[in-house]
Amino acid sequence: MHFLYDLVIGFYSLGLRILALFHAKARLWVDGRKNIMRQIEQTVEKGCKPVWFHFASLGEFEQGRSIMEAMRKQYPTQKILVTFFSPSGFEIRKNTNLADYVFYLPVDTRRNARQFLTIIEPKFAIFTKYEYWYHYFKELKRMNIKLLMVSTIFREEQLFFKWYGSFFRNILKNVTFFFTQNMDSVHLLKAIHITNAGLAGDTRFDRVRELSMQRKSIKEVEDFLRFTQDVLVAGSTWQPDEQLLSELLNKHFSFKMILAPHEIHDHHLEQILRLFPESIFFSKFSSYTETEVNAARVLVVDNIGMLSTLYRYGTVAYIGGGFGVGIHNTLEAATYGIPVIFGPKYGKFQEAIDLLEIGAGFCVDGFVKFDQVLVSLSDQRRRTTAGNEARNYVREKAGATPIIMKYISTERLLD
């Protein structure tokens, strides 16, 4: 199985190199790893022994962010090194002030893992949620470097719990401790004889709760919404989401919409403009007249990194991705005390399931259902009730970060 794993990793890397000839994101993935070991060796201060955080992409970075912030506060001299698998994480957070070093993760081979860990000599490592790399985990164990998994969540249908999943179970056995999102995950691990796990919760709750208390302002958005009370903030949208939103906006004339698409390349923005010809773009805001701003019904936010602040302006939020591979972050909206709407692909996200159960979230599978939900939420009392449930849910679920930091302190991992 080890041989097959290496074969898959090799073919995956080769496939991306071929794809890079035609695809910009794949090209970033490939170019970002050129001479990566030399770059790491020349950049990382020898003997500094950083804490190594690894994130698949931007969403996982947000899960680890509260831990890095707490570590910066509690251990201000401790170096932090961050790696990303995906360009969508690295390119946006490569200059974060929460880390001293930020790199792409070298491809998971035995040689790369051993060389990488020999260079950086981490005090310990923190991985988030779903990232399980065979060689990196095995080398961490071999070198007696502790590995913490945070905000992990397991489901019975995963390979770890199948009769033929022994190879994948063995990867898990290299982890020092699992901080899980729910007790079901603890029980599933126990069923395969892994007992070094405990319930902590999802660190994203700590992060988004802090966001809601900051109350940042964006002048352009406030100018756009000057004469509007009904505001739909649509975040991380894809083309199927935008098609649906276009139909809804044609019926619900009282709404203005802030649209923050998941991808902001030129082709996608052109598609959005065709769907919403009455839209204006955030990057060109200063070029519009006051009359044009007041007349526009859609503000397209064509940059990255603002979405978590944009939700504060909404009376209702729509989270994209539910008509594709899965919905994006619902908590960034829920923390501001507004109802959250999303598409049918939400089953892998515990927070979405919870929001539905408490009446703070609403699943829509097309125009008719979406229309019914918006009509229902036009009742201010119902909208306020749903929003309060969303806000209280976030507050009640916060607290994972202190649990993890207490473990780090008690186990003297930073001594």
Side-chain angles (χ1 to χ4, degrees):
M1 193 63 182
H2 163 245
F3 171 76
L4 288 176
Y5 178 87
D6 288 347
L7 196 63
V8 169
I9 292 293
F11 276 120
Y12 182 83
S13 300
L14 177 61
L16 281 173
R17 283 174 169 77
I18 296 171
L19 186 61
L21 299 173
F22 318 99
H23 193 279
K25 190 173 181 179
R27 189 156 53 250
L28 287 171
W29 192 97
V30 172
D31 291 346
R33 288 169 168 80
K34 289 180 178 177
N35 300 315
I36 186 65
M37 288 299 183
R38 184 186 307 170
Q39 180 186 349
I40 294 170
E41 190 166 19
Q42 292 175 348
T43 305
V44 177
E45 178 186 352
K46 294 187 183 301
C48 74
K49 294 190 177 297
V51 176
W52 172 28
F53 285 82
H54 174 68
F55 307 113
S57 190
L58 188 59
E60 288 74 17
F61 176 87
E62 293 302 319
Q63 285 184 302
R65 185 176 188 137
S66 62
I67 305 172
M68 290 189 288
E69 289 172 341
M71 198 172 289
R72 280 287 195 224
K73 185 176 182 179
Q74 193 170 338
Y75 303 94
T77 62
Q78 175 60 50
K79 300 290 187 182
I80 293 176
L81 183 147
V82 167
T83 56
F84 286 100
F85 179 78
S86 168
S88 60
F90 177 84
E91 296 300 327
I92 295 169
R93 296 300 183 215
K94 60 186 175 184
N95 296 316
T96 177
N97 59 10
L98 291 175
D100 300 280
Y101 311 103
V102 183
F103 303 103
Y104 278 102
L105 181 71
V107 174
D108 185 34
T109 65
R110 179 183 177 185
R111 179 180 178 182
N112 282 351
R114 187 163 293 187
Q115 186 178 359
F116 175 80
L117 292 171
T118 300
I119 293 171
I120 71 168
E121 299 180 288
K123 283 188 177 178
F124 64 94
I126 295 180
F127 279 49
T128 56
K129 202 170 182 178
Y130 294 137
E131 285 287 276
Y132 301 102
W133 295 108
Y134 173 77
H135 290 292
Y136 281 107
F137 279 33
K138 186 176 180 181
E139 286 303 309
L140 284 165
K141 182 78 168 182
R142 186 187 69 82
M143 297 173 72
N144 199 30
I145 299 169
K146 295 189 185 312
L147 168 61
L148 309 182
M149 293 294 306
V150 302
S151 297
T152 56
I153 188 165
F154 292 97
R155 299 181 304 279
E156 193 172 356
E157 63 269 21
Q158 289 174 308
L159 287 170
F160 309 114
F161 311 107
K162 302 296 184 183
W163 65 266
Y164 49 82
S166 60
F167 173 81
F168 302 98
R169 287 192 287 275
N170 286 333
I171 296 177
L172 300 184
K173 291 176 182 178
N174 294 303
V175 176
T176 306
F177 200 85
F178 294 88
F179 295 93
T180 70
Q181 291 188 33
N182 57 29
M183 280 305 298
D184 286 347
S185 297
V186 175
H187 296 320
L188 283 168
L189 289 172
K190 188 176 181 180
I192 57 173
H193 310 293
I194 294 176
T195 58
N196 51 326
L199 174 65
D202 189 341
T203 50
R204 285 181 303 162
F205 287 95
D206 302 309
R207 167 61 181 159
V208 298
R209 187 182 180 193
E210 181 67 24
L211 282 173
S212 68
M213 293 166 16
Q214 293 174 0
R215 307 298 292 181
K216 294 180 181 178
S217 298
I218 305 173
K219 183 180 183 302
E220 294 87 344
V221 174
E222 292 174 357
D223 289 345
F224 170 67
L225 300 175
R226 186 177 302 163
F227 304 111
T228 304
Q229 290 186 334
D230 295 328
V231 182
L232 174 62
V233 180
S236 300
T237 60
W238 297 81
Q239 198 277 330
D241 302 301
E242 291 146 8
Q243 180 65 50
L244 182 58
L245 289 164
S246 175
E247 296 176 38
L248 262 294
L249 210 61
N250 287 333
K251 180 173 181 180
H252 293 269
F253 294 103
S254 65
F255 277 92
K256 276 197 170 187
M257 184 169 70
I258 301 171
L259 179 68
H262 185 71
E263 294 187 342
I264 55 172
H265 54 75
D266 291 343
H267 178 63
H268 190 196
L269 294 177
E270 289 169 3
Q271 288 180 322
I272 290 172
L273 188 58
R274 286 194 293 271
L275 282 172
F276 305 98
E278 73 281 22
S279 62
I280 59 176
F281 286 75
F282 185 89
S283 63
K284 302 175 182 177
F285 197 89
S286 60
S287 67
Y288 299 112
T289 66
E290 184 176 346
T291 301
E292 289 173 321
V293 171
N294 292 338
R297 295 193 62 212
V298 180
L299 174 62
V300 180
V301 181
D302 50 344
N303 63 23
I304 299 295
M306 292 176 58
L307 181 55
S308 60
T309 301
L310 293 173
Y311 285 122
R312 66 160 291 200
Y313 293 103
T315 50
V316 179
Y318 175 83
I319 311 302
F323 291 91
V325 296
I327 62 172
H328 293 279
N329 192 339
T330 56
L331 297 179
E332 289 181 342
T335 192
Y336 290 105
I338 58 176
V340 182
I341 304 170
F342 43 81
K345 298 289 184 67
Y346 66 86
K348 294 182 179 180
F349 303 91
Q350 185 63 49
E351 63 276 13
I353 296 171
D354 293 342
L355 289 170
L356 284 170
E357 288 180 354
I358 63 175
F362 302 86
C363 175
V364 298
D365 56 7
F367 175 84
V368 173
K369 181 63 175 177
F370 203 160
D371 178 49
Q372 291 172 350
V373 170
L374 279 186
V375 169
S376 173
L377 293 175
S378 64
D379 180 277
Q380 185 173 351
R381 181 180 296 180
R382 179 162 189 186
R383 189 170 66 239
T384 300
T385 299
N388 287 340
E389 289 289 345
R391 181 187 290 109
N392 291 337
Y393 171 71
V394 172
R395 288 176 178 174
E396 290 169 3
K397 291 287 186 178
T401 300
I403 293 172
I404 295 166
M405 291 304 297
K406 184 176 181 180
Y407 177 94
I408 290 171
S409 175
T410 302
E411 296 295 318
R412 306 177 70 86
L413 298 187
L414 285 174
D415 288 356

